[in-house]
């Protein structure tokens, strides 16, 4: 799974890489399965999305106050359902 994480979320990038995800910070010419960003901070507007959308759909995850475990649950299950 290829996950794009906006540059201001470096701590999320590092944690996901440790868990075995391929993490990129730019999606100009690479297809990604999910984008993790801070929507309230204009996260999507900082990315160029030319030719980056996965045929099955790219999941957009708003970081909000989610933990890395919650983000990983969302990535693996493609749902925001609570894990509690």
């Amino acid at each position: 799974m290829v996950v794009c994480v906006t540059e201001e979320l470096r701590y999320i990038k590092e944690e996901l890489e440790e868990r075995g995800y391929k993490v990129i910070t730019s999606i100009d010419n690479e297809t990604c399965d999910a984008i993790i960003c801070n929507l309230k901070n204009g996260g999507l507007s900082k990315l160029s999305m030319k030719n980056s959308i996965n045929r099955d759909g790219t999941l957009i995850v708003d970081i909000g106050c989610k933990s890395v475990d919650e983000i990983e649950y969302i990535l693996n299950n493609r749902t925001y359902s609570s894990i509690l």
Side-chain angles (χ1 to χ4, degrees):
M1 175 181 292
V2 178
V3 180
C4 179
V5 177
T6 54
E7 291 192 27
E8 71 271 9
L9 301 174
R10 285 191 185 109
Y11 67 100
I12 297 293
K13 175 185 182 291
E14 293 168 1
E15 189 70 34
L16 290 174
E17 285 174 333
E18 287 179 18
R19 295 176 185 215
Y21 291 88
K22 178 179 180 186
V23 182
I24 58 175
T25 56
S26 174
I27 55 176
D28 287 330
N29 291 311
E30 188 164 355
T31 301
C32 66
D33 300 297
I35 298 170
I36 300 173
C37 61
N38 184 337
L39 291 175
K40 289 182 181 179
N41 195 24
L44 286 179
S45 65
K46 299 174 186 175
L47 297 172
S48 170
M49 291 191 235
K50 182 180 178 182
N51 299 322
S52 62
I53 304 301
N54 184 316
R55 280 184 288 172
D56 297 325
T58 299
L59 180 66
I60 298 173
V61 180
D62 179 22
I63 188 68
C65 59
K66 294 173 186 68
S67 69
V68 176
D69 289 333
E70 289 172 308
I71 291 169
E72 186 171 34
Y73 178 87
I74 293 167
L75 294 175
N76 290 325
N77 296 289
R78 298 187 69 85
T79 183
Y80 280 84
S81 295
S82 176
I83 59 174
L84 300 175

